[in-house]
Amino acid sequence: MRGTLTLTWILMVCLSQVAVQSQYYSESLPYDRRPVKVTNLHFFLHETLRGKNPTVVMVAQANNTSNDHYSSVPVGTLYAIDDPLKIGPGYNSEVIGNALGLGILAGKNSTTVVMYLDFGFTTGKFKGSSISIFSRNPLIETERELSVVGGRGEFRMAEGYARLKNYFFDGTTVIIEYNVTVIHY
């Protein structure tokens, strides 16, 4: 009995010391979040599909020899993209940056592209900054929404969305209007 009491006393002393020693680590610091900024951007993406200087190039295509799909471009086709971003829809509008990325035809009907684009700004207030979009892009819809998943520079830790509207298409040139809401810190 005396051994049990001694052991209990030793354990209580040890446990009280652990509690005293661990108080330093149990302190929590208040979370000091930086203020959130919301930036609305408006620009036009100009894409050239054919001609001397295309801005979209096929880099890989699925080895699909069957003819059981309805598109001339089969699922799995990968494109590299380098499109200029301009202030307006006109051919001579001021270039404010470019969109670099990849798009892959992901739907069996070949009208949906899963795309990653990095919109880098080369002039103005956001020069040197970029926003990253990674989302499903249903090409046949006139208006659609894509996810902003990140950024750098002024848009570090960005999130948000981009609303796209087809502005012009003639088989060679595509102009898409972008209205982007970026939430960043």
Side-chain angles (χ1 to χ4, degrees):
M1 179 78 171
R2 183 168 168 84
T4 306
L5 287 175
T6 305
L7 182 60
T8 304
W9 184 79
I10 292 172
L11 282 173
M12 288 177 58
V13 170
C14 288
L15 288 175
S16 67
Q17 291 301 312
V18 169
V20 170
Q21 297 299 323
S22 66
Q23 285 180 359
Y24 174 77
Y25 296 103
S26 66
E27 285 185 36
S28 59
L29 300 174
Y31 179 63
D32 186 24
R33 185 176 179 147
R34 294 182 288 170
V36 174
K37 299 177 196 170
V38 177
T39 302
N40 293 304
L41 303 170
H42 180 255
F43 53 84
F44 292 83
L45 180 137
H46 291 246
E47 193 164 81
T48 306
L49 304 174
R50 297 177 187 79
K52 290 182 180 181
N53 296 312
T55 60
V56 177
V57 179
M58 184 187 333
V59 293
Q61 186 173 9
N63 185 12
N64 187 354
T65 56
S66 69
N67 198 12
D68 60 354
H69 54 82
Y70 299 103
S71 174
S72 60
V73 183
V75 63
T77 304
L78 178 67
Y79 291 91
I81 302 164
D82 184 1
D83 295 332
L85 305 176
K86 297 184 178 186
I87 289 179
Y91 179 76
N92 293 324
S93 294
E94 179 187 352
V95 175
I96 58 169
N98 68 330
L100 297 174
L102 298 170
I104 186 166
L105 288 169
K108 288 183 180 179
N109 61 9
S110 297
T111 60
T112 300
V113 175
V114 174
M115 53 192 327
Y116 164 74
L117 288 173
D118 186 77
F119 293 83
F121 299 99
T122 56
T123 62
K125 179 180 177 182
F126 302 115
K127 180 179 180 178
S129 298
S130 71
I131 57 173
S132 298
I133 289 180
F134 182 76
S135 197
R136 175 188 301 224
N137 187 357
L139 298 175
I140 60 171
E141 293 181 19
T142 305
E143 295 185 26
R144 50 208 183 270
E145 186 174 294
L146 305 179
S147 301
V148 173
V149 296
R152 63 181 175 83
E154 197 65 36
F155 300 118
R156 188 175 299 122
M157 301 291 290
E159 56 187 30
Y161 60 94
R163 292 189 178 222
L164 285 63
K165 185 176 183 181
N166 292 344
Y167 185 85
F168 177 79
F169 175 71
D170 69 358
T172 300
T173 303
V174 179
I175 300 174
I176 302 170
E177 182 178 14
Y178 274 75
N179 286 295
V180 184
T181 299
V182 184
I183 302 163
H184 54 107
Y185 305 96

